[in-house]
Every structure is written in structure tokens, then in C-alpha cells.
Amino acid sequence: MEKKTLILGVIGADCHAVGNKILEYGLTEAGFNVVNIGVLSPQEDFINAALETNAQVIMVSSLYGHGEIDCRGMREKCQEAGLKDILLYVGGNIVVGKQNWEEVYGRFKSMGFDRVYPPGTSIETAVGDLKKDLHLQ
């Protein structure tokens, strides 16, 4: 089976690198070709990497709470770049403060994200969703 490629990175002015490395390891171990663009990454870096590698998924993480602002318009930018079918995943501490998770989830879904994960989601959960969404199981 051909390995599916995903772009992994930490969006915006966020420099939290530990979770990013754990995700990279776990996703690689699960059989994915992981292109890790690292921390402090604007939307354009994710999109350019996806275009260059013909990726099927963009996985955005954010830990400093400004993910909602950093992710606005990303689906539209993907479509403009020709990435109409790319899967968009987001997770971490993606909003400021304690907010109702269902509302946060709804806002990210309405922004065009296929999967939205709260803090503390296991890698196994993301891997399971990837396999479902990419029709690998």
C-alpha cells in the first residue's frame, strides 16, 4: 500500500514543539509519510508543503490558544490553491480560556475543518480517524 502523506505543523506564533514531535513519531509509526513543517508556521506554509508533496491531509496543532484566529480562512485558501479535497485536521488548545467544547467544535467545523480535537486527544484517536477518512480500513 502506498503511504498517505500528511502535513504536520504548529500554526501561527506558537512555538510549542514537544507535542509536534510526539505526533510526528506516532503518525510515522502508524505508517504515514509525515512532512513536519515545525513550529511558527503560517497557513501558507502548510498549503505550500501540501502542494509540493501531494499530501492528502493537513494537520494543524495549536497550543497557545489562538488557533481560531490563525485558522480562519484556511479552507478557502486551500481551495484557491487547488487543494479542494484535502482533509483538514486541527487540535490542541485551539481557543483562549475555558469555552464550551461543542461551540468550539462547531466553529471549527463551520470553518471547514474535517476533524477538530480537544486538548488531550490520543494519537490513536487521530490515527483511527485518518484511517477512516482515507479509506484505509
Side-chain angles (χ1 to χ4, degrees):
M1 181 187 83
E2 178 194 336
K3 279 189 178 184
K4 298 293 183 179
T5 299
L6 58 91
I7 306 303
L8 175 68
V10 183
I11 199 162
D14 196 335
C15 60
H16 291 89
V18 175
N20 175 265
K21 292 291 183 200
I22 293 168
L23 279 169
E24 179 182 14
Y25 177 80
L27 294 165
T28 301
E29 286 295 299
F32 294 96
N33 176 29
V34 179
V35 178
N36 189 347
I37 63 170
V39 299
L40 302 168
S41 300
Q43 288 184 16
E44 291 73 20
D45 287 3
F46 286 91
I47 292 166
N48 289 336
L51 287 167
E52 288 168 19
T53 61
N54 198 24
Q56 290 77 40
V57 185
I58 292 176
M59 285 189 122
V60 177
S61 68
S62 179
L63 277 174
Y64 76 147
H66 298 287
E68 188 172 359
I69 294 160
D70 293 335
C71 289
R72 274 197 196 122
M74 190 160 186
R75 173 59 73 191
E76 292 77 10
K77 283 187 185 149
C78 285
Q79 289 172 338
E80 287 166 15
L83 299 170
K84 299 202 184 327
D85 298 325
I86 197 151
L87 292 167
L88 288 180
Y89 285 29
V90 65
N93 295 321
I94 53 179
V95 292
V96 176
K98 296 221 178 293
Q99 298 184 34
N100 177 291
W101 175 249
E102 293 305 315
E103 291 174 14
V104 171
Y105 178 86
R107 290 201 302 269
F108 277 87
K109 288 295 278 188
S110 70
M111 281 195 275
F113 282 83
D114 297 287
R115 299 283 184 171
V116 186
Y117 299 108
T121 301
S122 72
I123 291 175
E124 291 78 20
T125 298
V127 167
D129 289 342
L130 280 164
K131 287 181 176 175
K132 274 185 221 134
D133 294 348
L134 294 167
H135 311 290
L136 301 175
Q137 59 185 37

